[in-house]
Amino acid sequence: MSRQEHFADLIERVARDGDRDAFTELFDHFAPRIKAYLMRIGAEAGLAEEVTQEVMVTLWRKAAQFDRKKATLSTWLFRVARNRRIDILRRGSDADLPSDDPLLIPEGDPDPETLIDADQRDQRVRAALADLPEEQVDLIRLSFFDGLSHGAIADRTGLPLGTVKSRIRLAFGRLRNALAEDAAGG
């Protein structure tokens, strides 16, 4: 069972049974990633935390609306987060934001071909990550999944900042090459 299928099973347990353990597992996995994503796209920490909490409440209350045939759970949750942030920006400063700004138009559901392409890309990235040395994978996770800066990673791991930057750069080079070879071969 893939990780995305596992998450889909968990949200279905939340929808069907109000399963708190399933929700806790989803919360523990997605909340820090959603907050990091929101901060990467410009939200301040307080706003990112607020939106993340609202997204997780949405997951609890509207779990039955999730359809694994239309999107992965991560796609659904990150779309909810993005749209919720847009709603807050619109409400907070309507005069400053033109309503026809393309960045403020909520995304619709992606077409099935896009979902298949995204799922295949996710599988290729996971396979490429599996071939990296563990110390590089750990740093990639801290940087991109937990949203930590290179300096924060150095503080957390005790590694020199230059080592953190070098390992992340090497990891990206290896990922880029592996994905390019995969795309050329298939």
Side-chain angles (χ1 to χ4, degrees):
M1 173 185 299
S2 77
R3 191 172 190 145
Q4 290 301 327
E5 290 170 337
H6 175 68
F7 292 144
D9 289 346
L10 289 174
I11 193 170
E12 287 174 356
R13 285 175 31 202
V14 170
R16 183 183 61 243
D17 307 322
D19 187 323
R20 291 177 186 263
D21 291 334
F23 176 77
T24 299
E25 185 175 339
L26 291 170
F27 187 96
D28 290 346
H29 178 80
F30 284 107
R33 288 163 175 81
I34 291 169
K35 181 179 178 185
Y37 161 74
L38 290 165
M39 291 177 71
R40 273 195 306 274
I41 62 171
E44 293 185 16
L47 176 63
E49 183 70 32
E50 177 185 335
V51 172
T52 298
Q53 293 296 324
E54 289 182 24
V55 170
M56 299 316 291
V57 168
T58 299
L59 184 151
W60 178 258
R61 290 182 179 162
K62 298 186 177 184
Q65 292 180 5
F66 172 73
D67 182 352
R68 72 169 67 203
K69 293 177 186 127
K70 290 184 178 180
T72 63
L73 180 57
S74 58
T75 299
W76 187 68
L77 288 174
F78 281 89
R79 185 181 306 125
V80 170
R82 178 183 177 275
N83 291 347
R84 184 67 191 114
R85 179 174 175 264
I86 289 168
D87 291 343
I88 289 170
L89 288 173
R90 282 184 178 161
R91 184 182 48 195
S93 57
D94 288 339
D96 298 336
L97 299 172
S99 62
D100 60 345
D101 185 334
L103 293 175
L104 298 178
I105 299 171
E107 293 179 9
D109 288 333
D111 63 271
E113 188 173 311
T114 301
L115 292 175
I116 291 169
D117 290 345
D119 190 49
Q120 290 171 343
R121 182 195 65 234
D122 290 348
Q123 289 174 12
R124 287 193 305 266
V125 169
R126 278 193 293 279
L129 280 170
D131 291 337
L132 292 177
E134 189 62 32
E135 69 267 5
Q136 290 178 358
V137 173
D138 291 342
L139 297 179
I140 293 290
R141 284 190 178 121
L142 290 170
S143 180
F144 292 92
F145 297 116
D146 294 347
L148 297 179
S149 68
H150 292 172
I153 293 170
D155 291 343
R156 181 180 283 188
T157 62
L159 293 170
L161 180 59
T163 301
V164 169
K165 290 181 176 185
S166 294
R167 287 184 182 172
I168 290 174
R169 190 171 35 254
L170 284 171
F172 273 125
R174 288 180 175 175
L175 286 172
R176 192 172 20 259
N177 290 339
L179 294 173
E181 289 171 12
D182 185 45

